[in-house]
Each structure stands twice: as C-alpha cells, then as structure tokens.
C-alpha cells in the first residue's frame, strides 16, 4: 500500500521491443513514486490487437523487472491491461454523449473534403447538431478560446481551440480510441501525475478537455524530452540500438543502465553523474527535468558501465560473468576465479569477458591472424624455443615466469614487451588480453608448453 495519494503510471503499448526511451519514462515515474511514497501503476495499453503481441508484453515486464521495477517492489501496482476496461471506455463515451459533450457522426473523409475543399482543414462539425444515433463518436471541442496545458517540464503551453477539430473518441465500429481509453483509465486509476514522452504533448489539450468533460480535475502533466542520437535525430528502432534487452544481453549492468537513463533529461545537483539509485531518488524533481532533447551517448553509457563493473565486489563480478563464461567449452570456475580480478579492470561490458578468458578453457584458442602476423616476426621462433626451455622447470608462478622471459628476451636485445608478444599469441591467440604471466600461471605449465610447441611447429 502506498502512503500518499500520489499515483503515477507507465502505460506502454506492446507493439515492439521495449525502447530505452520507454525505460527512461518508466524510471522517472518510478523515482517520483518512490520518493513521494506514492503508487506506480503499470498499464499495458494493448487495445491495438493488430499490432500487439504477447511476447512484447512479456518483454516489457521482464525488462522493467531488470531495471528494478517489478511487482514485489513497494508501490508497484498492476500490470493492468487496457483491453479489459473496454466497457468503461464505452461508458465514458456514452456519458459524454448523454451530456451533450459528444455526438455521432457518419461523415467519411471524402465527405469532409468535399465540403471544406481540403484534406487538411479537419472536421467541420457537420453532424454536431443532427442528433444521429450511429457512426463514429466525436468530442465537441470549444469553438473559441485556448486550452492551456500547464506542463511541469515545458511550462505553460497554449493550444487555440479553433485549431482543434471535434476529434473522434469512438470509431464507427464502436471501438474506443487511444485518446479516450487513455484518459478513462487514468481517471479510473486515480492517476495524479502523467509523466510521459514529449510526443504525447499534442494529445494533451484534447485529453485535458476530456478530463474536464468527465467531471474530473486533470492530472499534473510532465512531458519528458525526446532522446536523440549523435546526428541529433530522434532515436529510432530502424536506425539506432534502442531495445533495452539488447543492452542487457550485451552485458550492461542494470545499475549502470538505470543511472545513465536517469540522466537523459535530468541531472543531480552538483554535477556528480555516477550515482546509485537510492541517492538519486530523493533528489529527483520533475521540475528539474530539462525540456531540450537528450543525447543518448552510447560511449558515455559504456564508460558508466565500466565504472560500475570495476566497483563490484569480486564475487559479485564473478557471478555476473556466469552467463557468459559458462558458455565457454571446458569452463572451470576455479580457473576463472584466479583471473577474474584482472579481467574486472579491463572490460566495459560483461560480454567482453569471453574473449578475455576463453583461451584458459578452450583446447585450441581461436587464433587471430592479424595478431599472429604481427607477433611472429624474427626472432619469434627462437624466443619461443628458449621460452619453452626456460619454462620447462620453472616454479609456476607469475613473477618467476616474467623473470625468465625477461632473460630470454635480453639474449636477443629485446625488452620484455617485445619478447612477450610471440608467447602471448602462441598461448592466447591474440596480442591483447589479460596480463600475460598471470594468464600463464592460471593456464598451467602443461597447456602453456603445449601451445608454445604448437606455435613453434607452425613456424618451422
Ligand atoms: N500507450 C502510449 C504509448 O506507448 C502511452 C500513452 C501515455 O503514456 O499516455 O505511447
């Protein structure tokens, strides 16, 4: 039970993958509800049967849970499904009609065009006073004056009423439109604050008129800014990586994602950006949300993620890597535990763990051709032969392995870095990766020597 009368909602339509912009709206609502001890209602707006799919509803619910918004969390209510409130939507339309605020209309688009001489004039009010009993239902908008929307983010926005046609609230087949269903549900669910994407600002004067016509006080409106890509274009699923799931699957931490998304249009005071949820919540103010477009900077998100990864306690880091490392054939948790700390400082998304440690488990690590060509230049063959020799009886410990390879390189006038390269490629398949000697220690003598021997054979 919530301890205040504040009630917000997140009302996604399950028509595609769950968008990071949706996640940001959900988080703003969630932060506001949590801070005020209010309720957060999840309402799935599933009335567009042709475009909805159950898996998208499931995707929304699981993605929200991933960022901490789930049915066990205090304040959470739902999910409710808009399609189950069809009767209430129709009742709201009937009430508006009974009170003369809405009327039936049988005009087709062509009828309107024929009368007004234009496609763009909008509906001319032809059926307003005809007393028809069938057809679509239109809301009677005021002819004059302005509808003033007070938006917490955008300030006072005025919409001249003469530019607002008598809009349709129920289709000719009796099915209610979004504009009505959305208001009827918000009213029924006693929503006090509507925090949603800017694209809905243009619906807001109509919705405000509906609230008033239904005898209720409109909610507080807050339209949060669009999210744009590097080219300052609105983030789109055709152009950009927008699905929250794809970030999860790539190994972004939910905490980093939440932190980053909260900064799309809002910033804590004092310029500190990396901040855990619990510290952001008490600071969050709808009034402080910025109205200008927010840039989704994937590089910055990666940097955040790297910081969050490095801040994890080691055993947590190991646990979070499990979904990736457990896929590697031959995976051995003990061996992984030996190098995990080294890997933790080097990766920025969890999926990168695989390429960093797979050489420890695979029988034959994938050989990167470019690395091979670069590292196996003269005197690589001699280095490998000498290293094999030096490592045969070495105490198997990183410091000792380093000292021995240093000596091998010195005999050819090579610094350690140069002497390391062929050994690294022979053993790991790549020129970059975890610190070499710790890697060798973790891999063990037998496999290290076998790989050096195999590389020598290939060079011979
Ligand atoms: N179902 C609408 C959408 O997904 C949201 C409407 C709203 O938040 O009012 O765009």
């Amino acid at each position: 039970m919530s301890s205040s009368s504040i009630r917000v909602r997140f009302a996604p339509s399950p028509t595609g993958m769950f968008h990071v912009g949706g996640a940001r709206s959900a988080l703003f609502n969630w932060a506001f509800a949590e801070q005020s001890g209010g309720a957060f209602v999840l309402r799935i707006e599933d009335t567009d049967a042709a475009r909805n799919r159950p898996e998208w509803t499931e995707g929304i619910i699981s993605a929200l849970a991933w960022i901490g918004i789930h049915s066990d969390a205090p304040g959470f209510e739902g999910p409710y499904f808009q399609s189950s409130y069809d009767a209430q939507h129709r009742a709201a339309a009937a009430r508006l009609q009974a009170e003369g605020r809405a009327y039936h209309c049988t005009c087709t688009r062509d009828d309107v065009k024929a009368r007004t001489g234009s496609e763009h004039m909008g509906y001319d009010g032809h059926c307003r006073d005809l007393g028809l009993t069938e057809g679509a239902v239109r809301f009677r908008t005021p002819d004059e004056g302005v509808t003033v929307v007070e938006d917490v983010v955008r300030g006072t926005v005025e919409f001249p009423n003469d530019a607002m046609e008598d809009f349709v609230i129920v289709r000719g087949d009796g099915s209610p439109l979004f504009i009505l269903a959305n208001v009827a549900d918000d009213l029924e669910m006693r929503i006090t604050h509507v925090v949603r994407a800017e694209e809905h600002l243009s619906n807001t004067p109509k919705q405000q008129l509906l609230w008033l016509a239904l005898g209720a006080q409109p909610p507080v409106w807050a339209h949060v800014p669009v999210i744009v890509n590097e080219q300052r274009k609105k983030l789109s699923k055709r152009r950009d990586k927008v699905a929250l799931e794809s970030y999860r699957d790539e190994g972004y931490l939910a905490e980093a994602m939440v932190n980053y998304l909260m900064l799309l249009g809002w910033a804590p005071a004092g310029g500190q950006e990396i901040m855990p949820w619990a510290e952001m919540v008490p600071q969050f103010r709808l009034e402080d949300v910025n109205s200008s477009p927010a840039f989704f900077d994937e590089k910055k998100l990666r940097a955040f993620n790297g910081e969050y990864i490095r801040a994890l306690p080691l055993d947590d880091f190991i646990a979070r890597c499990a979904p990736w490392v457990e896929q590697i054939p031959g995976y051995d948790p003990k061996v992984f535990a030996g190098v995990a700390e080294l890997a933790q400082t080097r990766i920025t998304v969890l999926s990168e763990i695989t390429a960093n440690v797979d050489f420890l488990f695979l029988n034959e690590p994938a050989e990167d051709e470019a690395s091979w060509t670069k590292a196996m230049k003269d005197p690589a063959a001699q280095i490998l032969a000498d290293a094999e020799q030096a490592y045969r009886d070495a105490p198997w410990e990183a410091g000792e392995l380093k000292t021995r390879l240093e000596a091998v390189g010195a005999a050819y006038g090579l610094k350690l870095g140069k002497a390391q390269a062929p050994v690294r490629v022979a053993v790991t398949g790549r020129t970059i990766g975890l610190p070499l000697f710790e890697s060798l220690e973790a891999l063990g003598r037998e496999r290290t020597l076998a790989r050096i021997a195999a590389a020598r054979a290939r060079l011979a």
Side-chain angles (χ1 to χ4, degrees):
M1 275 301 283
S2 53
S3 58
S4 89
S5 57
I6 287 183
R7 294 175 61 81
V8 296
R9 79 331 185 247
F10 178 57
S13 306
T15 54
M17 299 289 279
F18 187 48
H19 193 290
V20 288
R24 190 268 317 255
S25 296
L27 286 168
F28 280 9
N29 276 290
W30 189 237
F32 182 61
E34 184 171 324
Q35 146 196 124
S36 56
F40 171 103
V41 172
L42 173 60
R43 182 175 71 232
I44 306 289
E45 300 210 317
D46 59 344
T47 46
D48 187 348
R51 291 175 63 218
N52 293 169
R53 289 211 215 137
E55 62 267 33
W56 284 329
T57 297
E58 284 155 28
I60 291 169
I61 292 172
S62 84
L64 285 173
W66 182 60
I67 54 174
I69 306 177
H70 52 80
S71 52
D72 296 335
F76 185 96
E77 236 186 82
Y80 301 122
F81 292 86
Q82 187 158 65
S83 55
S84 17
Y85 298 95
D86 186 62
Q88 281 94 318
H89 307 151
R90 289 174 195 248
R95 175 174 165 193
L96 292 170
Q97 273 178 276
E99 294 175 4
R101 310 302 302 268
Y103 60 89
H104 278 298
C105 165
T106 49
C107 298
T108 64
R109 205 183 290 263
D110 286 343
D111 295 337
V112 180
K113 194 175 147 195
R115 286 195 302 268
T116 61
S118 157
E119 296 241 23
H120 308 293
M121 285 297 286
Y123 182 64
D124 59 353
H126 180 263
C127 298
R128 266 191 170 190
D129 302 309
L130 298 184
L132 301 177
T133 53
E134 54 172 29
V137 179
R138 288 185 182 271
F139 181 76
R140 193 186 289 264
T141 58
D143 295 328
E144 312 173 326
V146 286
T147 294
V148 180
V149 170
E150 294 295 348
D151 188 287
V152 181
V153 176
R154 317 202 64 89
T156 303
V157 193
E158 297 195 354
F159 297 86
N161 289 332
D162 61 1
M164 208 181 328
E165 64 174 6
D166 286 355
F167 55 91
V168 177
I169 55 176
V170 179
R171 294 183 192 86
D173 66 4
S175 60
L177 264 82
F178 158 78
I179 197 96
L180 174 67
N182 186 260
V183 168
D185 288 346
D186 281 346
L187 211 158
E188 179 75 25
M189 296 173 186
R190 304 185 319 281
I191 299 305
T192 57
H193 294 67
V194 168
V195 181
R196 62 181 175 184
E198 186 181 323
E199 67 197 38
H200 288 292
L201 182 64
S202 57
N203 292 322
T204 308
K206 297 177 190 168
Q207 295 196 312
Q208 184 163 294
L209 290 172
L210 287 172
W211 274 86
L212 294 168
L214 288 165
Q217 202 47 41
V220 174
W221 306 105
H223 287 89
V224 304
V226 286
I227 303 179
V228 296
N229 66 14
E230 217 153 13
Q231 287 82 43
R232 312 304 288 175
K233 294 219 176 81
K234 187 172 168 190
L235 225 54
S236 108
K237 64 179 170 198
R238 270 168 295 281
R239 228 180 359 237
D240 307 295
K241 189 165 84 188
V242 298
L244 190 65
E245 288 97 323
S246 55
Y247 291 91
R248 176 183 60 194
D249 296 348
E250 215 180 299
Y252 283 87
L253 304 189
E255 307 90 304
M257 203 72 210
V258 164
N259 188 158
Y260 185 70
L261 290 173
M262 284 296 287
L263 302 182
L264 295 175
W266 176 76
Q272 187 189 338
E273 293 200 302
I274 302 261
M275 187 179 276
W277 176 254
E279 281 174 39
M280 282 194 282
V281 168
Q283 283 202 43
F284 181 75
R285 297 273 173 281
L286 285 173
E287 293 76 7
D288 294 342
V289 174
N290 202 318
S291 62
S292 43
F295 170 36
F296 188 91
D297 182 352
E298 200 179 331
K299 285 199 203 79
K300 187 163 168 183
L301 169 62
R302 281 185 87 86
F304 269 45
N305 204 59
E307 291 224 21
Y308 271 89
I309 285 180
R310 289 189 285 283
L312 291 173
L314 183 59
D315 51 352
D316 192 0
F317 173 70
I318 290 174
R320 300 217 202 192
C321 288
W324 283 274
V325 290
E326 283 172 0
Q327 306 286 319
I328 306 172
Y331 171 68
D332 176 343
K334 273 204 233 51
V335 174
F336 179 56
V339 297
E341 197 170 355
L342 298 169
Q344 189 175 4
T345 59
R346 284 175 170 74
I347 63 173
T348 49
V349 289
L350 292 173
S351 57
E352 287 170 359
I353 193 65
T354 307
N356 273 275
V357 302
D358 62 357
F359 73 93
L360 290 167
F361 310 111
L362 299 172
N363 284 334
E364 281 180 53
E367 194 81 69
D368 173 50
E369 273 312 314
S371 297
W372 177 274
T373 315
K374 197 166 140 206
M376 295 303 181
K377 293 194 191 105
D378 228 23
Q382 290 94 312
I383 298 279
L384 289 175
D386 293 1
E388 194 181 347
Q389 193 64 38
Y391 282 175
R392 210 172 284 283
D393 61 353
W396 207 254
E397 179 274 316
E400 185 64 30
L401 298 173
K402 177 179 172 200
T403 307
R404 295 211 175 192
L405 195 63
E406 241 159 8
V408 166
Y412 300 91
L414 295 180
K415 292 230 169 66
L416 180 63
K418 288 267 186 242
Q420 269 196 118
V423 176
R424 180 188 285 284
V425 172
V427 172
T428 71
R430 302 183 181 92
T431 43
I432 46 171
L434 301 184
L436 179 63
F437 303 105
E438 284 81 356
S439 298
L440 301 183
E441 186 181 319
L443 187 64
R445 186 194 315 270
E446 203 179 316
R447 290 206 286 171
T448 300
L449 293 179
R451 288 182 193 180
I452 293 177
R456 289 184 60 206
R458 191 174 155 194
L459 281 175

